[in-house]
Amino acid sequence: MPPVFDYSAYSATYQERPEYVPSVIRSMLRTAGVRPGDLVCDIGAGSGHLTEPLLEYGLRVEAVEPTAAMRATGERRTARFGEVTWHNGTGETSGRPSGHYRLVTFGSSFDRTDRPAALKETARLLEPDGFFACLWNHRDLEDPLQARIERLIHERVPGYDYGTRRTDQCPVIEESGLFESPVQLSGRKVFRLRADAWCDAWASHATLGEQAGQKFDEVLDGIKELVRGAGEEYIDVPYVTRAWIARANREGAGW
């Protein structure tokens, strides 16, 4: 089991990241057949990027996040909702009750787990016929500015690797034997964002921060220079949200 990663150093700007593509969230919830009032467990909830739209849909959410600083940000962000509670825990050991949830979600967090162990924990948490879902926001690297940023990253951090976050999640889900074949969803949206805020949000990029090490600030400065070169207060940034959703397999889950 991997160590619990401490996101404290990345928490200050994490909430500056753009939202998930709304059409993908709607399709995910429609596929899971959840209705307002259903109970959801959002694991690796961070600063509430996925928790908030789940609450806006009318779901009751128990958010699980191991990093105290991120959890505090998420609590503030979702304080206006009455149907949310926040808890310390991980994808492998959530500390939440068995057979309790209609849907268990991992927003940009499934890759930070021992995925087979997290799937086993998810199957324990779900009601019969409940659903697992994982999703990520990816910058569209075919966009000219994003392609330049990507080249800069690889020049400054040779061998830079996104890990499993940009890979197909179907094999690990299917190999678990705990879920039916996943449904894959994706959607693209161009976000018009303040250039300075978007640059600041890069400071929350833990995958890059880990691999860049002492060069992290240098990489961030390089990204800012590229964005400033566009000479605009706002920039258009295309994102693709990719999601995988799968119904629990009753026989595989041991019901």
Side-chain angles (χ1 to χ4, degrees), residues 36-134:
D38 284 349
L39 185 61
V40 176
C41 187
D42 186 26
I43 296 182
S47 61
H49 257 55
L50 180 56
T51 315
E52 186 174 42
L54 294 175
L55 290 164
E56 288 173 342
Y57 186 78
L59 298 168
R60 295 179 295 131
V61 182
E62 294 184 6
V64 175
E65 168 56 43
T67 301
M70 293 286 278
R71 197 164 60 246
T73 300
E75 288 174 341
R76 288 193 298 270
R77 181 175 181 171
T78 59
R80 70 185 189 278
F81 297 97
E83 297 295 337
V84 59
T85 56
W86 285 80
H87 308 272
N88 182 28
T90 68
E92 303 87 353
T93 310
S94 69
R96 309 317 302 148
S98 299
H100 210 54
Y101 305 92
R102 180 64 188 164
L103 172 67
V104 173
T105 58
F106 290 77
S108 301
S109 58
F110 189 49
D111 60 304
R112 286 293 183 174
T113 69
D114 175 331
R115 292 181 297 164
L119 289 168
K120 185 175 180 181
E121 174 72 348
T122 297
R124 180 187 70 80
L125 295 173
L126 288 172
E127 297 176 350
D129 296 327
F131 282 80
F132 156 85
C134 61

